[in-house]
Amino acid sequence: MNLLNPYFGNFGGMYVPQILMPALQQLEKHFVESQNNKKFQNKLSYLLKNYAGRPTPLTLCKNITKNTNTKLYLKREDLLHGGAHKTNQVLAQALLAKKMCKNNIIAETGAGQHGIATAFACSLLNLKCRIYMGNKDIKRQEINVLKMKLMGATIIPVKSGSATLKDACNEALRDWSENYSDSHYMLGTAAGPHPYPIMVREFQKIIGIETKKQILYQEKKLPDKIIACVGGGSNAIGIFHDFIKDNVKLIGIEPGGTGMLQGQHGAPLQYGKTGIYFGMKSAMIQDKDGQIQQSHSISAGLDFPSVGPEHAWLHSIGRVKYYTISDQEALDAFINLCQSEGIIPALESAHAIAYALKIINQQPNKKQIIIVNLSGRGDKDIATIHNNIKNKRIKNVSI
Amino acid sequence: MYRYNKMFQSIKLINEGCLMPFVTIGDPSIQTFYKIIDILVSAGINALELGIPFSDPLADGVIVQNANNRVLSQNITIKKCFTILKNIRQKYPTLPIGILVYANIIFNMGIEKFYEKCYKIDIDSVLIPDVPLEESNIFRKYAQKYNISEILICPPNANIAFIKKISKISTGFIYLIARSGVTGFIHQKNNPSIQIIKQIKQKTSTPILQGFGISTASQIKNSLLLGTNGVICGSIIINLIQKFQHNPEIMLKQIKNLTLKLKAATKMSIP
């Protein structure tokens, strides 16, 4: 019996081996209790403020919008401890794990941001952690792997399948089905089986709550548009949630990769169809037989063949509009933000920035306020950027 | 469903347990797969569980996962899987045949269409390892419509409320697993809880088969002594397919020897 509705319209659910159901129900129970538990909330607020560094600023970009009538703000989750929004929900899940007396943490990571946040939280709260990471991602995120190891985390390379986030997620779930009694699976995004999508959203909605306060303070009105990148979708749902009922256009950007054919992108909402995988019913990149296909994105954090079920629902009812941005457009936006504003965005966030710049340049005279959720910082992507400069995919930058 | 009833009744009369091997359809190649089925049947198995390959078999360990990858890398489609199933059914009309299939394969085809196809080729049961009882209603609706047994898994952490529910719903047999984790035979601890077996038996007469990690004759004897009606063996057989995939002759010999040994372990005095 669920305490919360596991479904978002036709999406969501708990499609896991039976053995995991008690662990998910236990998690749901503790999550619901914690929402009304003052002591838990105070502890979390303290950590978010004094350890993670909340609130994060809302920065007005004046250079990149020169000669246009757009006011472009960035919600600076890149300035959060750990360098990405991931820290918000990881601290909360770590407190929940302690509440459940589970002192071992299982996590998966793609870009390494969730892995780093997990490793930080585990080190801080004295939890043991093992992190599954695809071999391909270990190679493209070397520095992040080193950071996780420094915090005392064990990194388990995943060689199966595409050796990326999808396969790391599978291995983490397998591990959990064996060790659920003393281990908590710290899922990194608003996806997977219930209660993760709701729980992660609730722990990430602080991004939107702060944004609303800040924009009302700075502009005395709500923004016209909010744009965020969507892999699993936690940063996007985090900033969108408090604006769902407002008259604000919400835009999610999926990774368009190098094309619309299978294996060239990571855009299940644009090019996939509804399926059941990774514990949930949601949009999936799959072939005609229902086999889950490999995704592609220049950004490891967006390289996932599915998306959180709440996004699939918001897409189906048209409340949020979803578009794609290609690898090349993201690279160009990355450089543009570096050179215009002195901010190095994560390649994930560069997708959202690229879309913002696209619509600003299409109607430069339009008076509008746009907020982009800068979900993380791009230090981790410097090697990728370096390679693309060498390969001349990035022009006007010499090294 | 009647094939399961008939089989369990007949082995009970001769004091035997059921041996149900699990293999992935088309592994390691379609041609060799048919030969593997023939060998298993000739070695005296009582039922077959056949896996439809899936890209992300979350409930399975590395051995079954590799089998899925072997099959998918040969571009064996779901359509071909059904043709293979049809051929096996025609050759062995009285053998109970169950299929194990992940939810997305069924959902993608259309739930009713999938069960209708199973009905048309006379499949006896369907087990969906990533669909727990809580999400099973829509699948059950069509399983019942097409008279196909719904096999539910009873894990070692099952409570009495859960056992009550699956005892009412599960037909054909109840798939009991004795340990946490995924399929594979590395684990040492594999004794089912006598309490869970008793609780199931108090609620239903549906037979119980133990699966996950069964690889030795002594495990089988022990399982039967504790009150199960037999076992499902997968990874230990698939491991031989993997090991000798490039030498089918040796593979078939090894599978035959293993199956004879496992089947012999089911022939004992069952209290």
Side-chain angles (χ1 to χ4, degrees), chain A residues 1-2 6-7 12-23 25 160-161 166-167 169-171 173-174 177-180 273-279 281 284 286-293, chain B residues 52-62 65 69 72 76-79 103-105 107-108 129-135 138-139 152-157 162 165-166 177 179-182 187:
Chain A
M1 191 69 174
N2 287 111
Y7 273 85
M14 305 171 92
Y15 293 91
V16 293
Q18 191 74 54
I19 199 160
L20 282 175
M21 288 305 290
Q25 282 157 352
S160 58
K166 163 182 180 279
D167 309 283
C169 287
N170 291 349
E171 287 306 320
L173 262 185
R174 287 188 175 111
S177 68
E178 184 164 350
N179 299 299
Y180 57 87
K273 61 175 178 173
T274 305
I276 297 171
Y277 161 66
F278 194 48
K281 191 187 280 181
M284 311 279 161
Q286 52 187 313
D287 70 8
K288 62 176 177 32
D289 267 358
Q291 309 291 354
I292 308 301
Q293 296 296 291
Chain B
I52 293 184
F54 182 53
S55 54
D56 294 86
L58 285 171
D60 287 297
V62 67
Q65 193 188 359
N69 290 340
L72 292 174
I76 295 181
T77 59
I78 303 302
K79 201 177 165 191
N104 200 46
I105 301 291
F107 186 76
N108 181 69
D130 56 346
V131 172
L133 181 68
E134 290 79 355
E135 297 285 1
I138 183 70
F139 298 93
L152 290 165
I153 287 181
C154 181
N157 58 5
F162 175 82
K165 280 183 202 160
I166 62 160
I177 57 175
R179 58 159 173 80
S180 56
V182 292
H187 301 75

Side-chain angles (χ1 to χ4, degrees), chain A residues 333-348:
Chain A
F334 181 101
I335 298 298
N336 199 343
L337 195 73
C338 288
Q339 298 190 340
S340 306
E341 303 290 344
I343 295 171
I344 302 177
L347 266 172
E348 289 87 338

Side-chain angles (χ1 to χ4, degrees), chain A residues 194-213:
Chain A
H194 174 77
Y196 285 103
I198 289 178
M199 191 175 80
V200 173
R201 178 198 72 202
E202 287 301 302
F203 292 147
Q204 290 291 9
K205 74 180 184 189
I206 192 165
I207 305 172
I209 292 170
E210 276 178 17
T211 304
K212 192 180 256 184
K213 271 186 202 157

